Amino acid sequence: MDVPWVPATSPLEILRTRRLLGSGGYNAALMAELVGPAGHVTTLDIDPAVAERATRFLTETGYDRVRVVTADAEHLPAGVVPDGGFDAIVVTVDTWDLPWIDALAEGGRLVAPLRLHGYHWAIGFTKDEGTLHSDEPLIVCGFVAMQGDGAWQTNVAPSPAPESTCPGKTAPRCPSTNSPQPSPASRP
């Protein structure tokens, strides 16, 4: 699955959108079809080669009105967000945070594959009074990992290995079993 708005936002909602932020050349072409000639689609990618390729293919296929930006989506560059914000933001990489709330217009839709409890869930949100709200069902999905400042960082810190797995002992063998202590690599 590569386009989260297929299950989480109907194409009819996108038709009402006039300012849309997404990612990926193919997705941008689909979004441009949905918003029509009066709409504005901005797509961005952190990888300059991907952005250049999207620009080339979008232009070659008649979607030259799509704006392609090379940037880290975690920090949208000045001038990318239109006055009043985007009417919709469609995120197509897995994310664990939603740094785009300020870029979204009041009443706008943000759809993202959000990482929660080890799974990715396509979730559609609506911005109401500056806060994101959702009362929609969660849909399990899978996406490529985000790169840059917003990339997922594992929160696991190594714990120091105990001197002995035998309570109160520091000897290399447990006296009750006379067996060698497990090495730190074999401990759970």
Side-chain angles (χ1 to χ4, degrees):
M1 181 173 154
D2 189 16
V3 184
W5 52 264
V6 169
T9 300
S10 80
L12 293 176
E13 289 175 316
I14 297 297
L15 285 171
R16 292 191 299 265
T17 297
R18 290 293 166 236
R19 299 164 303 179
L20 180 70
L21 175 66
S23 62
Y26 176 72
N27 292 335
L30 292 175
M31 293 175 200
E33 285 293 323
L34 290 172
V35 301
H40 302 279
V41 175
T42 301
T43 182
L44 63 99
D45 200 288
I46 194 170
D47 186 332
V50 172
E52 185 279 324
R53 185 172 185 253
T55 300
R56 189 174 73 244
F57 288 147
L58 285 165
T59 301
E60 288 173 3
T61 55
Y63 295 99
D64 50 337
R65 72 180 193 277
V66 172
R67 181 178 179 198
V68 180
V69 177
T70 302
D72 185 341
E74 187 78 5
H75 312 286
L76 295 175
V80 169
V81 181
D83 291 339
F86 288 102
D87 298 313
I89 298 174
V90 179
V91 181
T92 57
V93 293
D94 90 26
T95 185
W96 58 277
D97 193 11
L98 299 171
W100 310 282
I101 297 170
D102 292 338
L104 189 63
E106 186 66 21
R109 297 276 298 157
L110 187 148
V111 181
L114 197 57
R115 180 189 294 254
L116 298 170
H117 305 291
Y119 293 96
H120 298 109
W121 303 89
I123 305 174
F125 297 94
T126 301
K127 186 173 179 180
D128 181 29
E129 297 182 14
T131 305
L132 295 179
H133 299 273
S134 180
D135 58 1
E136 301 173 14
L138 303 179
I139 301 167
V140 175
C141 62
F143 283 81
V144 298
M146 182 176 285
Q147 300 177 37
D149 288 343
W152 173 257
Q153 301 295 324
T154 305
N155 297 334
V156 178
S159 60
E163 292 201 21
S164 171
T165 57
C166 302
K169 303 288 181 187
T170 57
R173 293 189 173 274
C174 295
S176 61
T177 62
N178 200 26
S179 61
Q181 290 181 203
S183 69
S186 66
R187 291 184 186 139

